[in-house]
């Protein structure tokens, strides 16, 4: 039997989306007013980039998989739009909900907005003010056409207001990624990843790299690897490598070079639970990811962001993050300072408390029109 209620298309496509949609889906499923339908665009498709996260986050398989795969920015975005439109035409939803800043986010919101379907953007308003990042374009465009802008910090609200978004569309709800982190932190203690990799608590550095501005640029990538070459002489560096970065290392002939560095452990990407455990036990995290800046803030683990800017300044102001750029000497200096320094004492940003998804669904529940909602009909 088809469940009644407002039909919500919840869109996920790439690795950092899955831990954001999991708590929202949970909340939507608990309430009879809503009929959530999970749409996977297929932007990420490898087991370690996608299915592993469904298993770890206790997510059921997607209701629809668009299977678009990789391609250039335009190819990927265009394919997602075409495939998503087909589904929207066949089974029109009452709301399309997108998360984060990946190509799937902007592609699906564009399709929905043009068909006059309300769009909700979770993690709205973040800005790096760097339009060379594909994600920044995705964020700005998605926010411009969204009807609900759910934000995770107050500077996101300020960014949106400055861009002319009416205040009544903006809802400060907190951080859904942290909902998942808090829910699964306990479970991650049963991970055997530390033993599998023979690592000891606080005695290794964890690194992730995948931004095109770092890994597609041979000079920058070489520089970061030079810095890591030094750091690993002092403490092992564990580097679960993103497929994009592995491809680039091969392309620039750097794979053999790093294979010879004894304390640099280049390993395959891993699922959510194992990675959470590795973050939680690390002495320090080096990264160019957005989400990891937030997760290390809540875990209280020092984080050096290897980028020139961040769309998440709250992790610097209130958390454990420092944005240090990609100059090898600076990376080495900042790392040394952390390895020699005192443990950091972060504050947890407001509403990064495990209840963000519940707030989102409460707001939808109060503000959406429910033409076929059984509860409402009964009450009348
Ligand atoms: C995408 C997001 C980025 C996010 C990142 C997390 C955009 C513009 N970028 O970047 O914001 O931080 O995901 O991972 O949406 N590949 C595989 N297997 C996969 C997926 C990708 O091998 O399952 C390889 C392909 O060779 C592909 C490359 O990785 O060409 C890049 O994938 P793509 O989805 O284009 O971008 P990401 O770098 O993953």
């Amino acid at each position: 039997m088809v469940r009644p209620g407002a039909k919500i298309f919840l869109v996920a496509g790439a690795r950092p989306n899955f831990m954001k949609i999991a708590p929202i889906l949970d909340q939507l499923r608990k309430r009879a007013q809503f009929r959530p339908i999970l749409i996977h665009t297929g932007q990420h498709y490898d087991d370690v980039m996608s299915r592993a996260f469904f298993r770890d986050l206790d997510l059921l398989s997607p209701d629809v998989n668009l299977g678009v795969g990789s391609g250039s920015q335009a190819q990927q975005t265009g394919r997602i739009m075409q495939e998503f439109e087909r589904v929207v035409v066949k089974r029109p939803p009452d709301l399309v909900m997108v998360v984060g800043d990946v190509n799937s986010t902007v592609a699906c919101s564009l399709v929905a907005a043009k068909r006059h379907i309300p769009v909700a953007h979770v993690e709205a308003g973040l800005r790096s003010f760097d339009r060379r990042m594909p994600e920044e374009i995705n964020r700005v465009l998605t926010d411009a056409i969204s009807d609900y802008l759910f934000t995770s910090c107050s500077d996101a609200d300020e960014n949106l207001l400055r861009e002319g978004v009416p205040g009544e569309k903006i809802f400060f709800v907190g951080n859904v990624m942290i909902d998942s982190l808090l829910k699964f932190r306990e479970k991650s203690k049963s991970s055997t990843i530390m033993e599998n990799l023979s690592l000891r608590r606080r005695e290794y550095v964890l690194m992730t790299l995948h931004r095109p501005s770092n890994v597609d640029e041979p000079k920058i990538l070489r520089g970061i690897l030079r810095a890591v070459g030094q750091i690993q002489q002092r403490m092992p560096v564990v580097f679960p490598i993103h497929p994009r970065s592995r491809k680039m290392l091969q392309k620039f002939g750097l794979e053999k070079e790093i294979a010879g560095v004894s304390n640099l452990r280049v390993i395959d990407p891993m699922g959510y639970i194992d990675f959470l455990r590795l973050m939680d036990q690390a002495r320090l995290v080096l990264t160019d990811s957005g989400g990891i800046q937030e997760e290390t803030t809540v875990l209280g683990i020092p984080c050096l962001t290897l980028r020139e800017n961040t769309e998440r300044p709250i992790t610097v102001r209130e958390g454990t993050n420092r944005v240090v750029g990609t100059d090898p000497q600076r990376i080495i200096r900042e790392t040394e300072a952390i390895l020699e320094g005192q443990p950091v004492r972060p504050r947890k940003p407001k509403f990064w408390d495990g209840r963000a998804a519940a707030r989102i669904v409460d707001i939808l529940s109060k503000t959406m029109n429910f033409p076929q909602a059984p509860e409402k009909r009964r009450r009348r």
Side-chain angles (χ1 to χ4, degrees):
M1 198 189 80
V2 178
R3 188 177 151 170
K7 197 199 290 176
I8 314 269
F9 277 7
L10 192 54
V11 175
R15 183 169 67 174
N17 292 160
F18 305 127
M19 63 294 272
K20 294 174 192 167
I21 57 133
I24 302 173
L25 201 55
D26 242 15
Q27 290 293 328
L28 288 171
R29 288 216 170 104
K30 279 186 193 157
R31 312 201 195 186
Q33 284 167 301
F34 298 106
R35 184 152 50 102
I37 294 176
L38 177 55
I39 315 266
H40 191 328
T41 65
Q43 176 173 346
H44 284 175
Y45 43 86
D46 283 349
D47 190 76
V48 284
M49 301 296 285
S50 176
R51 273 185 300 275
F53 286 78
F54 278 72
R55 287 193 294 272
D56 280 0
L57 294 158
D58 301 330
L59 278 166
L60 297 176
S61 298
D63 299 287
V64 179
N65 193 326
L66 305 179
V68 298
S70 302
S72 70
Q73 293 289 321
Q75 284 167 342
Q76 191 174 59
T77 310
R79 276 204 297 264
I80 298 169
M81 287 184 71
Q82 287 180 335
E83 295 304 319
F84 186 63
E85 188 180 53
R86 257 193 267 279
V87 182
V88 164
V89 168
K90 210 162 140 199
R91 312 159 70 175
D94 298 298
L95 178 85
V96 169
M97 185 175 274
V98 295
V99 297
D101 55 17
V102 301
N103 287 342
S104 304
T105 310
V106 69
C108 296
S109 34
L110 263 172
V111 169
K114 288 196 170 188
R115 300 196 68 87
H116 313 144
I117 297 163
V119 177
H121 183 203
V122 176
E123 205 184 86
L126 299 184
R127 296 288 181 269
S128 66
F129 304 102
D130 176 0
R131 295 254 170 128
R132 289 166 312 169
M133 290 177 76
E135 293 83 0
E136 181 74 353
I137 312 274
N138 295 344
R139 289 189 277 259
V140 169
L141 294 183
T142 304
D143 287 340
I145 53 175
S146 289
D147 301 277
Y148 289 91
L149 295 105
F150 293 116
T151 61
S152 54
C153 53
S154 57
D155 31 83
D157 291 42
E158 286 159 25
N159 292 336
L160 293 170
L161 291 169
R162 209 178 318 112
E163 287 173 19
V165 176
E168 58 271 22
K169 288 187 177 181
I170 305 170
F171 303 91
F172 174 32
V173 292
N175 192 326
V176 286
M177 194 172 214
I178 302 307
D179 288 9
S180 281
L181 182 104
L182 297 177
K183 177 172 173 192
F184 289 101
R185 192 177 185 183
E186 195 55 40
K187 182 174 167 190
S188 78
K189 291 182 182 156
S190 62
S191 155
T192 56
I193 190 74
M194 295 287 292
E195 295 76 40
N196 299 352
L197 297 174
S198 309
L199 294 170
R200 286 209 298 264
R201 178 180 159 81
R202 306 283 178 259
E203 291 187 14
Y204 62 94
V205 173
L206 178 63
M207 177 167 80
T208 80
L209 279 183
H210 74 279
R211 293 272 156 224
S213 58
N214 283 339
V215 302
D216 295 7
E217 301 293 330
K219 212 170 139 217
I220 295 191
L221 186 56
R222 268 203 186 88
I224 295 174
L225 293 176
R226 208 174 328 125
V228 172
Q230 288 257 342
I231 295 166
Q232 59 86 38
Q233 291 176 15
R234 181 152 176 195
M235 198 175 259
V237 177
V238 181
F239 180 22
I241 191 165
H242 187 284
R244 171 190 282 278
S245 314
R246 186 178 287 283
K247 224 161 101 178
M248 291 302 161
L249 284 175
Q250 283 161 353
K251 183 171 165 192
F252 304 141
L254 291 166
E255 242 199 347
K256 282 206 189 88
E257 213 170 289
I258 61 166
V261 183
S262 57
N263 251 344
L264 172 60
R265 313 267 298 272
V266 183
I267 55 178
D268 284 335
M270 61 188 70
Y272 184 73
I273 295 291
D274 285 341
F275 191 75
L276 174 50
R277 186 67 181 156
L278 275 193
M279 272 193 294
D280 207 2
Q281 300 294 296
R283 177 72 185 84
L284 158 71
V285 176
L286 301 175
T287 192
D288 59 10
S289 149
I292 291 173
Q293 297 171 47
E294 298 181 339
E295 291 169 331
T296 47
T297 273
V298 171
L299 295 171
I301 304 296
C303 175
L304 295 180
T305 294
L306 310 186
R307 286 171 43 188
E308 303 304 330
N309 51 53
T310 179
E311 61 288 333
R312 291 160 162 94
I314 194 168
T315 60
V316 177
R317 270 198 325 272
E318 299 188 16
T320 57
N321 188 21
R322 278 180 75 97
V323 180
V324 299
T326 54
D327 171 54
Q329 289 313 317
R330 175 142 190 228
I331 298 171
I332 295 166
R333 234 181 14 251
E334 300 272 1
T335 299
E336 300 269 320
I338 289 175
L339 296 185
E340 273 148 32
Q342 296 294 316
V344 283
R345 282 192 201 289
R347 277 188 290 150
K348 206 189 281 181
K350 187 177 172 192
F351 286 169
W352 292 24
D353 58 357
R355 296 204 21 85
R359 290 188 194 97
I360 289 173
V361 177
D362 280 347
I363 289 163
L364 292 181
S365 175
K366 284 185 197 133
T367 56
M368 272 185 75
N369 291 323
F370 294 96
Q372 313 108 8
E375 288 191 341
K376 270 200 170 165
R377 272 210 307 267
R378 247 182 270 132
R379 252 185 258 130
R380 271 194 207 120

